[in-house]
């Protein structure tokens, strides 16, 4: 645990204050708002009024005589900045012109400051800021200039951009990020590094900055030009930062530089909600703040206005295992409610069926679908649930992205299977053949026309081998087309249709896994999506049944799309990462088994495991009234045998027995498996060794 410094004394609110701070804030919030000038760290627990506290802190500084133009308020979204400025205006608008506060995102503030001093860095004061699309276009140009001749599949321009961006925000060399974060591209390292260098060179030549350059160049300005730094630190008497736990290394350095020698710096955040390291967020910024700012005041907000005591009891127990944290215990301001439930289900289908039934029960009890959400660690964990909701006609939105079966990579693989099932499926053929390097829409059309002109009775694989078909191929496309033809030959074996899951694995092994590696980052989990789809497909007896099952989903999605403009009552499905900052009356958390939550690749060290536990904590604290933690005991039969799963370590860590902060609801379908599990799989913790009613 991190030991908290003793808070500095708090100046009492003046009787002549124009704002009734004591009447509008609780004691914890008031202490943070009234803190004396200097470095201040506010650890704001979930649902504790973080934004309110920071807003009142700004108003208090204005009331003490700090001029609006001497305040710098940094947020992570423009929406948050506008909302905060509006609230400050409501509080202090009668005695201060809040429009003169420099408030907004890090990038917004950096942009305004660089406009005044760009010439000192060799840029025109009319430099252009590239949006994401502009930056991609410039990277495409740089790739074209390189005239790559490698036989390896080169990563998409967007992935090279991500590498450069991550390197900037982590303050590391591109080569380091490539080695640590994208090792699959190491064989192409010389070309990637040369392309990244060319991209930076072209930006400088053309007086262009992308969003990351705004921060990097502001840091350069502050470190390379002491006079400018002196001017800016003199201008900003107070610097305030929202969501400080999400700052990356570069942002953390900028905050410290802008605070200057005056060190009148207020940062607000929750170390227990630091969950974005994959984007470059640096946990050491918030956890190491007291060491970087000796004598800082630390204030902790623990009074939670969101959740019931029962939900908070479980959340507090869940996060208590983390060693690196500012210790705190959330205390509910709301009355008691329902106890959370831990629900072991037989398998993923059983898990989905229970959640869907429970959603309907809550709706029948008067709770709207809008007031409910289903959370999961990875997007593919929602596959079975999306199918079940579709079958039952329960409308839902996928906040974590498009619906599972509407994702391009899922459609690509399903197109292979549709073509196996029906070689006359023109749309499926054209989709899969266009994935072959060098085959565009025109070539795909010629190939299809040639195939349809062949004598009847030929298999697809036989047709792809004919000279009159291959004559339309360019030299560049022939190797890839040959690989495609071999794959379709394997997929088209008569016995293959009996195992649709195996067909999906064959598509991945036949080259599509390499396509995914070149076109997406591991964090996107596209290959995991497809392996989850294969796991689901193994449940069904053959390929036609699998495809007809998916046709139901497509029909339901199409009907929903027709009424998309009309407001309606809709259930939310989302990853935990996407749920941060939101709340619902009822929350379901799925797939709480080791390897899924926490994810095996995300818990390889103590630091990574602690971040996964923080993610679990974020999931639990989204719930206001009802919380259900659900997990399957097994995955679907493979070759006739069930594979047992171990409950998430985060469940096993919760107190068991009479002190358990939950009720356990064992489904009838799961009882036999639960009672027969060996101790290593059934316990310790919430599973126990004996099933309960």
């Amino acid at each position: 645990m991190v030991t908290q410094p003793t808070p500095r004394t708090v100046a009492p609110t003046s009787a002549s204050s124009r704002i009734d701070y004591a009447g509008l804030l609780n004691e914890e919030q008031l202490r943070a708002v009234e803190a004396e000038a200097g470095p201040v760290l506010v650890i704001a627990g979930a649902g504790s009024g973080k934004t309110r506290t920071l807003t009142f802190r700004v108003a208090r500084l204005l009331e003490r005589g700090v001029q609006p133009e001497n305040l710098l308020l940094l947020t992570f979204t423009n929406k948050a900045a506008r909302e905060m400025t509006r609230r400050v205006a409501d509080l202090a608008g009668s005695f201060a012109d809040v429009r003169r506060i420099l408030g907004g995102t890090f990038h917004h503030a950096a942009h305004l400051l660089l406009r005044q001093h760009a010439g000192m860095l060799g840029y025109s004061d009319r430099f252009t800021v590239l949006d994401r699309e502009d930056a991609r276009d410039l990277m495409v140009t740089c790739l074209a200039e390189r005239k790559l001749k490698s036989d390896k599949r080169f990563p998409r321009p967007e992935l090279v951009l991500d590498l450069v961006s991550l390197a900037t925000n982590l303050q590391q060399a591109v080569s380091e990020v490539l080695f640590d974060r994208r090792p699959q591209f190491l064989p192409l390292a010389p070309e990637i590094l040369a392309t990244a260098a060319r991209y930076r060179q072209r930006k400088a030549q053309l007086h262009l900055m992308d969003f990351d350059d705004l921060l990097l160049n502001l840091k350069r300005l502050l470190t390379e030009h002491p006079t400018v730094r002196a001017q800016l630190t003199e201008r900003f008497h107070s610097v305030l930062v929202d969501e400080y736990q999400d700052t990356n290394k570069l942002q953390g350095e900028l905050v410290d530089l802008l605070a200057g020698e005056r060190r009148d710096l207020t940062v607000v955040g929750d170390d227990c909600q630091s969950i974005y390291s994959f984007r470059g967020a640096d946990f050491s910024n918030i956890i190491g703040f007291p060491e970087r700012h000796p004598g800082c005041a630390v204030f902790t907000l623990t009074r939670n206005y969101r959740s019931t005591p029962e939900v908070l009891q479980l959340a507090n127990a869940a996060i208590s295992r983390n060693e690196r944290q500012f210790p705190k215990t959330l205390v509910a301001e709301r009355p008691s409610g329902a106890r959370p439930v831990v629900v072991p289900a037989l398998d993923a289908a059983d898990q989905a069926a229970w959640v869907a039934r429970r959603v309907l029960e809550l709706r029948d009890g008067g709770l709207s679908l809008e007031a409910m959400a289903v959370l999961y660690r990875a997007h593919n964990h929602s596959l079975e649930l999306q199918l079940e909701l579709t079958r039952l006609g329960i409308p839902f939105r996928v906040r974590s992205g498009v619906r599972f079966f509407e994702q391009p990579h899922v459609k690509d693989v399903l197109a292979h299977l549709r073509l196996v099932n029906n070689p006359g499926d023109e749309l499926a053929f054209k989709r899969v053949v266009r994935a072959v390097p060098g085959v565009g829409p025109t070539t795909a059309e010629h190939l299809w026309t040639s195939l349809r002109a062949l004598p009847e009775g030929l298999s697809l694989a036989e047709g792809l081998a004919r000279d009159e078909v291959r004559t339309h191929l360019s030299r560049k496309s022939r190797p890839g087309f040959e690989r495609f033809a071999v794959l379709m030959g394997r997929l088209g074996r008569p016995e293959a249709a009996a195992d649709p899951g195996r067909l999906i694995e064959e598509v991945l092994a036949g080259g599509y896994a390499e396509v995914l590696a070149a076109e997406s980052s591991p964090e996107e989990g596209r290959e995991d999506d497809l392996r989850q789809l294969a796991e689901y497909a193994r449940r069904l007896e053959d390929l036609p049944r699998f495809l007809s099952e998916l046709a139901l989903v497509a029909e339901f999605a199409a009907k929903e799309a027709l009424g998309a403009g009309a407001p309606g009552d809709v259930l939310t499905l989302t990853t935990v990462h996407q749920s941060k900052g939101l709340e619902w009356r009822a929350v379901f958390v799925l797939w709480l088994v080791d390897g899924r939550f926490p994810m095996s690749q995300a818990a390889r060290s103590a630091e990574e495991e602690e971040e996964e536990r923080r993610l679990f904590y974020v999931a639990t604290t989204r719930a206001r009234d009802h919380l259900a933690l659900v997990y399957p005991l097994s995955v679907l039969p493979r070759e006739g045998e069930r594979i047992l799963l171990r409950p998430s370590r985060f469940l096993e860590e919760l107190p068991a027995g009479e002190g358990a902060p939950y009720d356990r609801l064992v489904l009838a379908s799961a009882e036999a498996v639960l009672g027969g599990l060996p101790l290593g799989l059934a316990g310790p913790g919430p599973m126990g060794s004996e099933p309960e009613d």
Side-chain angles (χ1 to χ4, degrees):
M1 297 288 184
V2 176
T3 303
Q4 296 192 31
T6 303
R8 290 193 299 268
T9 57
V10 176
T13 302
S14 168
S16 61
S17 290
R18 285 171 267 196
I19 300 171
D20 182 14
Y21 296 97
L24 296 170
L25 301 167
N26 67 39
E27 299 86 345
E28 293 176 340
Q29 294 167 343
L30 182 62
R31 283 196 291 271
V33 166
E34 293 284 359
E36 297 174 353
V40 172
L41 172 61
V42 181
I43 298 297
S48 64
K50 165 185 68 67
T51 302
R52 185 178 186 81
T53 303
L54 189 57
T55 300
F56 274 81
R57 174 78 170 160
V58 173
R60 187 65 176 127
L61 289 169
L62 292 170
E63 194 176 34
R64 285 175 175 169
V66 178
Q67 295 302 304
E69 60 267 25
N70 297 138
L71 289 178
L72 175 61
L73 175 59
L74 297 172
T75 64
F76 271 84
T77 66
N78 286 315
K79 180 182 177 183
R82 288 192 298 270
E83 174 64 16
M84 215 167 289
T85 303
R86 184 191 64 77
R87 292 194 192 186
V88 174
D90 290 343
L91 289 170
S94 62
F95 57 83
D97 184 0
V98 300
R99 293 173 299 179
R100 287 156 42 205
I101 297 173
L102 178 50
T105 64
F106 280 84
H107 299 92
H108 172 73
H111 183 207
L112 293 180
L113 297 175
L114 286 170
R115 283 292 175 198
Q116 303 168 29
H117 305 283
M120 303 187 75
L121 298 174
Y123 284 87
S124 162
D125 59 2
R126 296 188 177 185
F127 69 85
T128 300
V129 178
L130 300 174
D131 63 19
R132 179 70 177 185
E133 185 177 349
D134 294 332
R136 181 195 176 280
D137 290 344
L138 182 58
M139 183 62 76
V140 168
T141 300
C142 294
L143 286 167
E145 288 178 358
R146 298 294 306 166
K147 295 179 180 175
L148 303 172
K149 294 183 173 61
S150 172
D151 60 350
K152 300 286 185 181
R153 186 180 287 271
F154 203 79
R156 288 184 302 122
E158 291 87 348
L159 286 186
V160 183
L161 271 179
D162 288 343
L163 276 172
V164 174
S165 175
L166 200 53
T168 300
N169 288 295
L170 293 174
Q171 292 291 269
Q172 294 179 355
V174 176
S175 57
E176 289 183 71
V177 176
L178 189 64
F179 184 83
D180 293 337
R181 305 266 185 143
R182 303 289 184 267
Q184 71 270 30
F185 296 139
L186 283 175
L188 293 163
E191 288 293 352
I192 290 174
L193 297 178
T195 303
R198 180 58 176 159
Y199 174 70
R200 287 173 171 164
Q201 182 185 50
R202 291 281 286 159
K203 285 187 296 180
Q205 289 172 344
L206 298 170
H207 297 276
L208 306 173
M209 295 188 202
D210 60 24
F211 280 6
D212 299 311
D213 292 326
L214 294 174
L215 304 187
L216 182 63
N217 286 327
L218 179 58
K219 180 187 173 184
R220 285 183 55 206
L221 189 67
L222 294 169
T223 54
E224 297 173 11
H225 298 279
T227 55
V228 177
R229 182 185 174 190
Q231 291 172 19
L232 292 179
T233 54
E234 178 59 29
R235 171 183 170 182
F236 299 122
H237 293 189
S238 293
V239 178
L240 304 100
V241 186
D242 189 23
E243 299 286 8
Y244 187 66
Q245 79 281 343
D246 294 336
T247 54
N248 58 43
K249 183 174 177 60
L250 177 55
Q251 290 165 333
E253 291 175 349
L254 282 174
V255 168
D256 291 346
L257 286 167
L258 288 165
E261 296 300 320
R262 186 183 282 108
R263 298 198 309 145
D264 193 357
L265 170 63
T266 300
V267 300
V268 181
D270 184 2
D271 56 302
C272 292
Q273 296 188 68
S274 179
I275 58 173
Y276 293 119
S277 66
F278 69 94
R279 293 182 188 168
D282 190 344
F283 182 65
S284 66
N285 284 351
I286 191 166
I287 206 71
F289 188 88
E291 286 71 33
R292 292 198 316 281
H293 297 275
C296 80
V298 179
F299 299 93
T300 305
L301 309 183
T302 62
R303 291 174 64 177
N304 177 285
Y305 294 87
R306 174 186 300 153
S307 306
T308 61
E310 289 77 9
V311 169
L312 293 186
Q313 183 189 4
L314 187 145
N316 287 328
I319 199 62
S320 65
R321 291 296 188 103
N322 272 13
E323 292 294 326
R324 297 182 72 211
Q325 64 169 301
F326 293 98
K328 61 181 176 295
T329 300
L330 296 182
V331 179
E333 288 295 308
R334 295 184 56 210
S336 289
R339 278 166 61 84
V341 292
V342 170
V343 186
L346 176 62
D347 52 32
D350 200 30
Q351 173 182 244
W354 182 82
V355 170
R357 287 198 307 272
R358 182 60 181 149
V359 164
L360 291 175
E361 288 172 3
L362 289 171
R363 186 179 68 176
D364 292 343
L367 199 61
S368 68
L369 293 178
E370 289 284 348
M372 294 182 262
V374 183
L375 277 51
Y376 34 81
R377 176 62 180 84
H379 188 44
N380 58 66
H381 295 171
S382 67
L383 186 160
E384 289 85 1
L385 181 62
Q386 290 191 37
L387 287 165
E388 186 65 19
L389 295 173
T390 298
R391 289 191 194 98
L392 296 176
I394 301 174
F396 63 93
R397 73 169 64 89
V398 181
R399 196 173 186 277
S400 54
V402 298
R403 291 170 183 254
F404 186 88
F405 295 102
E406 294 171 2
Q407 298 175 104
H409 57 289
V410 174
K411 285 190 164 187
D412 285 347
V413 170
L414 291 179
H416 285 80
L417 272 60
R418 284 169 46 201
L419 190 58
V420 169
N421 187 61
N422 174 18
D425 189 331
E426 178 180 355
L427 296 178
F429 174 80
K430 289 180 177 177
R431 183 178 188 105
V432 298
V433 81
R434 283 200 304 267
V436 174
V439 175
T442 302
T443 302
E445 182 65 42
H446 290 322
L447 291 170
W448 176 252
T449 302
S450 300
L451 279 171
R452 301 311 294 164
L454 294 175
E456 292 186 10
L458 291 177
S459 68
L460 177 62
E462 291 170 334
L464 294 174
R466 296 288 286 256
D467 290 339
E468 52 264 57
V469 172
R470 297 193 173 208
T471 188
H472 300 290
L473 297 170
S474 65
R475 181 178 299 178
K476 177 183 177 182
S477 63
R478 286 180 180 274
F481 187 84
E482 178 61 35
R483 193 173 184 181
F484 165 67
V486 170
L487 171 62
M488 294 313 299
R490 288 203 306 271
L491 298 180
R493 297 191 309 268
E495 68 276 12
D499 189 349
R502 182 64 178 270
L503 288 175
I504 294 170
E505 298 282 2
E506 290 268 17
V507 174
L508 282 167
Y512 197 68
E514 294 177 20
V515 173
L516 293 177
E519 294 188 349
S520 62
S521 63
E523 290 83 8
E524 293 177 80
R526 293 185 184 179
E527 185 172 341
D528 292 336
D529 287 347
L530 297 173
R531 298 207 182 276
Q532 182 79 8
L533 180 62
E535 189 175 294
Y536 168 75
R538 289 192 182 95
R539 250 193 262 167
L540 303 170
E541 59 268 25
D542 57 28
L543 180 57
R545 171 68 192 282
F546 174 62
L547 293 175
S548 64
E549 191 85 0
L550 302 191
L552 173 67
V553 178
E555 181 182 0
F556 182 75
K559 287 180 179 177
E560 280 206 324
L562 290 174
D569 195 20
V570 181
L571 177 70
T572 295
L573 275 56
T574 181
T575 62
V576 183
H577 282 107
Q578 292 283 341
S579 75
K580 186 170 171 290
L582 303 175
E583 61 182 65
W584 294 270
R585 288 189 60 189
V587 168
F588 302 83
V589 187
L590 300 186
W591 275 105
L592 281 162
V593 296
D594 263 5
R596 304 289 178 96
F597 199 167
M599 292 184 72
S600 54
Q601 64 267 38
R604 295 164 296 188
S605 66
E607 291 78 12
E608 290 171 322
E609 181 174 314
E610 289 209 344
E611 179 162 339
E612 288 287 296
R613 191 176 287 107
R614 293 195 293 269
L615 195 62
F616 178 57
Y617 172 79
V618 167
T620 61
T621 55
R622 299 310 93 197
R624 294 178 55 197
D625 303 319
H626 303 276
L627 175 64
L629 308 175
V630 196
Y631 63 96
L633 293 166
S634 63
V635 291
L636 297 170
R638 183 182 298 179
E639 298 176 357
E641 295 184 3
R642 280 194 179 273
I643 299 174
L644 299 180
L645 302 172
R646 185 183 183 91
S648 170
R649 66 196 73 175
F650 302 149
L651 292 179
E652 294 187 336
E653 291 168 354
L654 295 173
E658 292 184 5
Y662 56 83
D663 291 327
R664 191 172 61 158
L665 175 62
V666 180
L667 307 183
S669 57
E671 284 186 350
V673 175
L674 187 62
L677 287 178
L679 184 60
L681 286 172
M687 289 285 291
S689 56
E690 296 292 331
E692 298 175 359
D693 293 330

